[in-house]
Amino acid sequence: MADSAGIQQGSPAIGAAGLVPAAPGAGGTEGSGAAGGSARIAVKKAQLRSSPRPKKLEKLGVYSSCKAEGACKCNGWKSQNPPPTPPRTDQQSNAVNLQEPCRSCSHTLGDHVTHLENVSEEEMNRLLGIVLDVEYLYTCVHKEEDADTKQVYFSLFKLLRKSILQMGKPMLEASESPPFEKPSIEQGVNNFVQYKFSHLPSKERQTIMELAKMFLNQINYWQLETPSQRRQRVPNDDAVGYKSNYTRWLCYCNVPQFCDSLPRYETTQIFGRTLLRSVFTVMRKQLLEQARQEKDKLPPEKRTLILTHFPKFLSMLEEEVYSHSSPIWSQDFLAAASGGQIPMHTVISAPPVPRPLYYSTSPVSLDPSICGSVSPARKTASVLEPNTNTVGEKRKPSDPLPHEENKRPRVVGDIPMDLINEVMATITDPAAIPETSLLSAHSARDEAARLEERRGVIEFHVIGNSLNQKPNKRILMWLVGLQNVFSHQLPRMPKEYITRLVFDPKHKTLSLIKDGRVIGGICFRMFPSQGFTEIVFCAVTSNEQVKGYGTHLMNHLKEYHIKHEILNFLTYADEYAIGYFKKQGFSKDIKVPKAKYVGYIKDYEGATLMGCELNPSIPYTEFSVIIKKQKEIIKKLIERKQAQIRKVYPGLSCFKEGVRQIPIESIPGIRETGWKPAGKGSHLHSIIDLLFPTDLKTMSERLKSRYYTTRKLFMADMQRIFTNCREYNPPESEYYKCANLLEKFFYTKIKEAGLIEK
């Protein structure tokens, strides 16, 4: 009873937030529930860890046994005046009184937290993280209907509760620790690729690797059936073995997604063929059925891969999974394989646990990893009333851009346009640019969404309420949808506050529409006279997250504001949102003068004001495509340059004849690299001339033309020379050694001049 009362003291906020555990029996959906829960818990942890120390002591006191004299048996302080359930958001939290008596044992709060007096902030924050995990598991225990799952939740709840009481680290007590079977699923799939496809040409083998990566990624986010569900579906199966693996999966893979005080492992790395056999048939069926249902939505370049190659890949793998004599499950496979193992990272590189996208103008909270991948905008015919704007129409190259005079002048050292055009002619065919898998670490965050927009799967509209025109039914329905999305994804924000801003005529919302319904949006208020826009709310509904919609929304918002000649965004972000905004181009360096925004936006305690200055010359919705083309151009230019200078000349024989030194220009091939005599100089000058003379000459001309407006810009160019020299030359070469020597000399002089700290 004491335990229960102690948990209730801290649990209302969890219940009020609307958190629910990921449904373990969903059987075939990615863990969006766990993703939503994990980010919300992360927000709560950040808020709690930023609280004053007395508030932290009060929270930990709820889970700390009484230390008063007389061997008190109370194991958690209970307030005389517990907060309302759910807590009112408009109430100010009362000051913490360490002398307040416990409702259970009558001893003070201070008697419960004496052991925390000398504990560091870092350790206290760690314990607070466990506290919120305990409260979430408490909610899971009471909401879970499946008996086996409920039992695991309760066991983990007690484990974390004990860790707080003993101030220890949670350690799962089990007869076995991960990995539970060798080889793992990941290793088995690697062996399968090696066993069946090692003879294929490089391009075809790369396709197989992509299929393998897709399959492993699906397993890592697959929701297992509960043991009771499996018994109904497969009555004669090994129920005991499956229940054991299910319990391990919950403890080591599933629950740690939202309770990060527990160690987390990837399913494919700690389980082997036994678990794979138990899920493969159902998983294969559902994956192929889903692919058939959504075939019209697949991009053309992926359709053949998923509809033709993937079923065949799964059929071949299925034979090896259920075969009793397959060599891929032997631990001696690699020693017996003739070609050796495929490097693991080329097949499996699972992304991090998906996190939800949501933030608001009040202290913003979200995980850095929330933005997935997205795509190029198509022209959309608007069928809405005048108070809506269709987003997606490109700025025509012939249209004058706002602030056209800001275009930079041509810089000394730029590559000649005739050479650029010559290289461009070799890559005019889009198919010539290497395709980047959406599962690749190198794919753009907005790649998938841009493709969906191009195919008409999603649309973007700027909408808002109006007091001057008759309300449009469709717009009102979308505004209601946006209010629901923001309310669900921002549980800490009062619903009335969200409703007031969404329907406020001064605010507009960039809405993301899919299949006729709202799945996300960004609410904002423009201040044209002040030259900036305030971002108020942004959210994507939980089952549509980790698809890159967040990045694509922001890119459309940037293009919309460039058309309206507002080139600055402002918003407030807490520590969990800063990483996300940095990826979208925001920084703490605010370009808007303080006098312009003070009094227009609210100042939030504990949050960081961030801003983003827009460049009117950048087509943001196509930016990642342009960067990809630029990278290909640079690659081609490097290849051409290397082809010119990689001629091998015979060695110098003059030194064998007693010659002690020779002019640099007499070295065969030195002039072909672009080197020119620089007159008299020291040995250091000779090294400089030998080391990429063209770049150093360019830097000299840029210095004379006052190109280097900051020290950082100058040092970046110099460092690029050193980096390129080591990148494109072997370590034993003279170029590589000269780069190291010159770099050391450069930084010595920089420090002597006081330009950087010694």
Side-chain angles (χ1 to χ4, degrees):
M1 293 296 292
D3 277 354
S4 176
I7 293 300
Q8 290 173 352
Q9 171 69 22
S11 61
I14 296 295
L19 301 184
V20 293
T29 59
E30 294 187 7
S32 58
S38 63
R40 290 170 186 158
I41 293 177
V43 171
K44 290 178 178 295
K45 288 181 178 179
Q47 294 170 341
L48 189 56
R49 286 165 176 161
S50 62
S51 302
R53 190 175 179 90
K55 198 70 181 176
K56 295 180 180 180
L57 291 173
E58 180 186 45
K59 189 71 173 179
L60 289 170
V62 176
Y63 301 89
S64 301
S65 58
C66 185
K67 310 298 187 300
E69 296 181 1
C72 180
K73 295 183 179 180
C74 175
N75 67 350
W77 179 79
K78 291 92 183 170
S79 173
Q80 298 281 358
N81 302 301
T85 305
R88 290 180 57 185
T89 56
D90 59 345
Q91 277 189 332
Q92 295 290 333
S93 58
N94 298 326
V96 176
N97 180 10
L98 294 178
Q99 300 304 313
E100 183 180 349
C102 174
R103 190 172 73 245
S104 178
C105 70
S106 299
H107 292 119
T108 66
L109 170 60
D111 290 330
H112 289 75
V113 295
T114 54
H115 63 299
L116 298 173
E117 290 179 357
N118 299 319
V119 170
S120 66
E121 283 295 309
E122 182 180 359
E123 175 63 12
M124 190 170 289
N125 288 338
R126 184 186 72 84
L127 293 172
L128 288 169
I130 302 178
V131 165
L132 286 184
D133 286 346
V134 165
E135 293 179 349
Y136 185 59
L137 282 171
Y138 177 81
T139 306
C140 293
V141 169
H142 284 268
K143 289 188 175 183
E144 183 57 55
E145 298 180 357
D146 178 72
D148 295 314
T149 308
K150 183 189 287 283
Q151 182 179 3
V152 175
Y153 286 159
F154 186 63
S155 298
L156 294 175
F157 162 78
K158 291 195 297 183
L159 170 67
L160 295 181
R161 186 81 166 81
K162 182 179 178 182
S163 298
I164 300 172
L165 287 171
Q166 298 179 351
M167 296 180 64
K169 293 186 178 180
M171 298 295 292
L172 292 168
E173 298 177 2
S175 56
E176 293 183 69
S177 58
F180 301 111
E181 189 175 2
K182 292 184 179 180
S184 65
I185 296 174
E186 181 180 294
Q187 184 64 62
V189 173
N190 270 281
N191 293 348
F192 169 70
V193 173
Q194 173 70 15
Y195 178 53
K196 291 289 188 179
F197 307 104
S198 60
H199 64 286
L200 294 179
S202 176
K203 185 175 181 180
E204 295 177 18
R205 186 166 165 175
Q206 188 61 40
T207 301
I208 299 299
M209 290 177 177
E210 185 173 345
L211 294 172
K213 186 188 296 183
M214 290 168 52
F215 175 74
L216 292 172
N217 186 59
Q218 288 291 332
I219 295 177
N220 281 329
Y221 297 118
W222 196 260
Q223 296 292 321
L224 299 188
E225 298 173 294
T226 64
S228 59
Q229 289 173 326
R230 184 169 179 80
R231 282 194 297 270
Q232 295 177 2
R233 189 174 62 83
V234 191
N236 300 323
D237 191 44
D238 178 14
V240 176
Y242 181 81
K243 182 177 179 180
S244 175
N245 274 336
Y246 177 77
T247 301
R248 291 166 172 170
W249 172 78
L250 278 178
C251 292
Y252 291 98
C253 304
N254 183 257
V255 174
Q257 287 187 15
F258 49 83
C259 293
D260 60 8
S261 54
L262 294 168
R264 178 177 176 265
Y265 298 84
E266 296 286 6
T267 304
T268 56
Q269 294 177 349
I270 65 173
F271 292 99
R273 177 164 58 166
T274 303
L275 180 72
L276 184 58
R277 281 179 166 178
S278 64
V279 302
F280 190 92
T281 303
V282 173
M283 182 178 173
R284 176 178 178 270
K285 181 179 178 181
Q286 292 190 22
L287 285 177
L288 296 181
E289 180 62 29
Q290 182 182 0
R292 282 192 290 268
Q293 290 177 355
E294 300 182 1
K295 63 180 180 180
D296 295 333
K297 299 180 180 180
L298 294 173
E301 64 272 17
K302 295 292 181 184
R303 196 168 296 160
T304 301
L305 180 72
I306 294 175
L307 297 180
T308 304
H309 299 314
F310 197 43
K312 186 175 181 180
F313 175 89
L314 292 177
S315 297
M316 295 177 68
L317 180 57
E318 185 175 27
E319 294 180 12
E320 304 302 321
V321 169
Y322 293 102
S323 170
H324 294 287
S325 58
S326 174
I328 70 170
W329 303 105
S330 169
Q331 295 197 49
D332 299 327
F333 175 83
L334 294 182
S338 59
Q341 183 189 18
I342 300 174
M344 189 69 68
H345 67 274
T346 61
V347 176
I348 169 64
S349 179
V353 180
R355 305 277 189 178
L357 168 63
Y358 62 98
Y359 53 91
S360 73
T361 186
S362 55
V364 183
S365 304
L366 92 120
D367 188 90
S369 63
I370 58 175
C371 277
S373 27
V374 215
S375 81
R378 66 184 184 89
K379 291 190 176 180
T380 311
S382 177
V383 293
L384 305 178
E385 293 297 317
N387 61 338
T388 71
N389 295 272
T390 300
V391 180
E393 295 184 0
K394 304 291 188 303
R395 301 198 303 271
K396 298 178 181 178
S398 57
D399 291 344
L401 290 169
H403 306 274
E404 189 76 21
E405 67 275 10
N406 290 339
K407 284 191 174 181
R408 67 176 180 88
R410 185 169 179 82
V411 177
V412 176
D414 276 0
I415 299 172
M417 283 307 299
D418 55 347
L419 180 57
I420 293 289
N421 293 332
E422 184 180 347
V423 172
M424 281 290 291
T426 66
I427 58 169
T428 51
D429 182 8
I433 301 178
E435 179 181 317
T436 304
S437 166
L438 295 182
L439 297 172
S440 168
H442 301 290
S443 62
R445 287 192 297 274
D446 63 339
E447 191 167 342
R450 188 168 53 245
L451 291 173
E452 287 191 5
E453 186 182 11
R454 181 185 295 169
R455 300 196 313 271
V457 177
I458 58 176
E459 297 176 0
F460 295 86
H461 301 278
V462 175
I463 63 175
N465 199 8
S466 175
L467 299 179
N468 302 322
Q469 299 178 358
K470 184 178 179 181
N472 178 284
K473 183 177 180 181
R474 176 181 292 184
I475 295 172
L476 290 177
M477 290 296 293
W478 283 353
L479 288 173
V480 171
L482 286 163
Q483 185 262 345
N484 289 332
V485 170
F486 292 148
S487 297
H488 280 93
Q489 301 305 128
L490 302 169
R492 300 290 293 180
M493 299 298 296
K495 192 171 183 178
E496 297 79 10
Y497 177 68
I498 293 175
T499 304
R500 177 161 57 87
L501 294 187
V502 169
F503 286 88
D504 177 17
K506 296 178 182 178
H507 289 74
K508 296 181 180 180
T509 304
L510 171 60
S511 57
L512 170 57
I513 311 299
K514 186 173 184 178
D515 297 329
R517 63 184 182 87
V518 175
I519 65 168
I522 300 178
C523 182
F524 60 95
R525 181 175 179 180
M526 303 169 74
F527 295 94
S529 62
Q530 305 305 111
F532 75 91
T533 282
E534 180 187 15
I535 293 178
V536 184
F537 304 120
C538 176
V540 173
T541 190
S542 57
N543 63 337
E544 297 288 354
Q545 289 165 5
V546 201
K547 297 181 179 180
Y549 294 149
T551 295
H552 209 41
L553 269 168
M554 188 63 73
N555 286 340
H556 271 300
L557 190 67
K558 291 175 181 177
E559 295 240 317
Y560 176 84
H561 279 78
I562 288 173
K563 292 176 183 177
H564 289 79
E565 299 192 22
I566 297 179
L567 302 181
N568 283 284
F569 288 162
L570 292 178
T571 193
Y572 273 91
D574 68 12
E575 58 180 317
Y576 283 87
I578 289 174
Y580 164 74
F581 282 111
K582 281 185 177 179
K583 292 179 182 178
Q584 304 304 323
F586 285 71
S587 75
K588 300 175 186 178
D589 182 18
I590 308 301
K591 302 297 184 182
V592 181
K594 194 170 184 179
K596 289 281 189 180
Y597 64 82
V598 170
Y600 289 86
I601 61 175
K602 294 180 181 179
D603 189 5
Y604 291 90
E605 187 176 349
T608 301
L609 180 64
M610 299 189 73
C612 178
E613 185 178 25
L614 306 183
N615 187 329
S617 300
I618 296 177
Y620 284 95
T621 55
E622 300 284 349
F623 189 58
S624 60
V625 176
I626 294 171
I627 293 297
K628 181 186 283 188
K629 289 182 178 179
Q630 289 178 344
K631 286 182 178 180
E632 189 64 13
I633 291 171
I634 293 172
K635 181 181 176 182
K636 296 285 186 183
L637 290 171
I638 291 174
E639 290 174 355
R640 289 189 172 215
K641 186 65 176 177
Q642 288 178 335
Q644 293 172 4
I645 66 174
R646 278 189 172 172
K647 181 179 179 180
V648 179
Y649 292 86
L652 297 172
S653 59
C654 57
F655 298 109
K656 294 181 180 179
E657 302 169 2
V659 177
R660 298 185 61 85
Q661 64 180 16
I662 61 173
I664 291 179
E665 58 267 25
S666 66
I667 300 175
I670 194 70
R671 290 186 181 276
E672 284 77 358
T673 67
W675 180 89
K676 294 179 181 179
K680 296 182 179 180
S682 64
H683 175 63
L684 176 64
H685 288 130
S686 298
I687 294 176
I688 292 176
D689 289 337
L690 185 62
L691 178 70
F692 279 124
T694 304
D695 285 348
L696 288 169
K697 180 182 178 183
T698 299
M699 285 190 66
S700 177
E701 292 173 351
R702 286 182 171 182
L703 194 61
K704 293 175 183 176
S705 64
R706 299 185 181 275
Y707 168 83
Y708 296 113
T709 56
T710 66
R711 177 182 58 193
K712 185 177 180 181
L713 193 61
F714 174 79
M715 294 183 67
D717 263 10
M718 183 62 77
Q719 186 59 52
R720 192 174 295 112
I721 295 177
F722 304 141
T723 302
N724 287 343
C725 192
R726 286 189 288 260
E727 180 74 17
Y728 298 107
N729 294 283
E732 65 276 5
S733 69
E734 189 67 24
Y735 299 104
Y736 196 103
K737 295 174 183 177
C738 287
N740 290 339
L741 182 60
L742 183 58
E743 184 181 37
K744 183 178 180 181
F745 177 86
F746 173 74
Y747 281 103
T748 299
K749 290 298 182 184
I750 287 292
K751 290 178 182 177
E752 289 176 359
L755 296 178
I756 60 175
E757 294 182 3
K758 296 184 178 180

